[in-house]
Amino acid sequence: MIGTLDRPPARTSRPADGLAVWYQHTPSGPAGRDRIRCLVEAGRITSVALTGPAPEDELRWLCDLLSPLHERGDGRDGLVSVPVAARSRKACDQVHAARRLAAAVNRPNLLPALPASDPGLAALTTLLGEGIGVRTGPLHSVARYRQAVRAHLDGLELARWRGLDLAGLTSVAAFGVGGIDVEIDALLDRAGSHEAKALRGMAGTATTRLARGVHADAHCAEDSTRWRALAAAGARPQHLVWTQLYHGVPGHRTARYLDALAAPGACVELCAPTLEALDGTSEIRTLRSTREEQDAQAFTERLIAYLRWFDICHESVLRSLDAAHAHH
């Protein structure tokens, strides 16, 4: 059952076994505010991702609306991200624009959103080091996500060196899923065989399993001395949000995505039409056994091998997607 996609009584924290939902919102005045208020009060969304710039007063209103979720949770929920309008793609300009935005809005749950480009990740490190939370993305490749995790850890270490409170710092990485399937499926269709077409719609969720592995390795206190020191100082793991869940017919295909992505602590970003199409969906589970996870990981490895059989390099496709989205 999707805890945060049903219509439960109003609440101020996410269910322990539910998918947290980031709501993809285009600023739209009073009507948009009423819509978001209803979704928050019904417990159907936990954070908001704006698709473009918004007035400072609207950002403050959104942050205040979601502040109970932010205050009662571990900093994962009750967030508001907004793209940074920088003068250029240079890291220094992105840092300056994010600083101005954070200072003007002056809310702890506001996250300036930066592209997952090399300058964007450098800006992420600088901003975290100054005590400013950041959202980065969309990113698509495991290699780029490793860089995002590294930038996150670098920023936390810089903040710790400056004596800042790490417990109040939030970093979010938005990982695109649907775009991967769009690109891989087109190549499978070009291959033309029934065997190739049978693999359609599988690459996106398979890639998220690889990303989850990177996330687990980077934030494992038993294996990572670097993370152990940061966690002891109060640092929180970087949060992964699965986004771009738009492949196929909204609702039916997205429901399949959510079933594959479901795991304790998972976050997804949905637009309004998809959220409505999923209203009342009850067949999606959020708890998975160790055996199920092992089977899924094994399938991911086989899928990548099958793609190579059809001359499709999984990682090359993902790197191309990253390059295409780095400047958006």
Side-chain angles (χ1 to χ4, degrees), residues 8-11 34-45 65:
R11 54 175 173 259
D34 290 342
R35 171 67 175 156
I36 289 180
R37 183 188 292 108
C38 290
L39 290 171
V40 171
E41 291 176 352
R44 299 188 66 207
I45 64 174
L65 177 69

Side-chain angles (χ1 to χ4, degrees), residues 4 9-15 20-23 36-37 39-48 62-80 108-109 170 236:
T4 50
R11 54 175 173 259
T12 53
S13 62
R14 98 172 53 207
V21 175
W22 281 69
Y23 180 62
I36 289 180
R37 183 188 292 108
L39 290 171
V40 171
E41 291 176 352
R44 299 188 66 207
I45 64 174
T46 54
S47 294
V48 172
L62 282 168
C63 288
D64 292 343
L65 177 69
L66 291 163
S67 63
L69 284 169
H70 187 255
E71 292 168 0
R72 298 188 187 202
D74 60 355
R76 179 194 296 266
D77 296 328
L79 302 169
V80 177
N109 51 337
T170 300
R236 299 170 178 148

Side-chain angles (χ1 to χ4, degrees), residues 138-320:
L139 48 86
H140 303 84
S141 72
V142 177
R144 178 61 73 177
Y145 179 54
R146 285 196 183 96
Q147 293 174 339
V149 171
R150 194 175 305 123
H152 161 74
L153 297 177
D154 289 345
L156 290 177
E157 288 178 338
L158 185 56
R160 184 182 60 172
W161 178 78
R162 289 174 171 160
L164 300 179
D165 178 17
L166 301 191
L169 274 175
T170 300
S171 172
V172 173
F175 201 103
V177 181
I180 297 172
D181 277 337
V182 169
E183 295 296 321
I184 296 289
D185 287 1
L187 296 174
L188 290 168
D189 288 342
R190 192 178 304 170
S193 69
H194 293 300
E195 292 82 1
K197 292 181 179 180
L199 301 178
R200 297 180 85 260
M202 298 181 182
T205 50
T207 306
T208 65
R209 296 184 194 110
L210 299 177
R212 286 210 311 259
V214 172
H215 182 275
D217 290 344
H219 300 97
C220 179
E222 288 76 17
D223 299 332
S224 172
T225 55
R226 187 181 192 189
W227 175 248
R228 189 184 307 128
L230 290 168
R236 299 170 178 148
Q238 186 177 55
H239 304 312
L240 262 173
V241 177
W242 310 123
T243 186
Q244 296 180 341
L245 306 180
Y246 53 70
H247 186 48
V249 179
H252 174 71
R253 194 59 177 267
T254 305
R256 187 188 62 78
Y257 268 140
L258 294 179
D259 189 43
L261 296 172
C267 301
V268 295
E269 181 181 308
L270 303 177
C271 62
T274 301
L275 191 62
E276 285 303 313
L278 288 166
D279 186 25
T281 300
S282 60
E283 68 272 17
I284 300 172
R285 297 172 301 139
T286 56
L287 298 179
R288 299 203 176 276
S289 67
T290 302
R291 177 60 180 272
E292 284 178 309
E293 285 296 326
Q294 292 173 342
D295 290 346
Q297 290 291 344
F299 174 79
T300 295
E301 295 172 4
R302 292 197 303 273
L303 174 64
I304 294 173
Y306 293 154
L307 292 176
R308 285 198 297 266
W309 178 265
F310 295 107
D311 293 325
I312 299 172
C313 178
H314 176 252
E315 189 61 26
S316 293
V317 173
L318 305 189
R319 285 197 300 266
S320 296

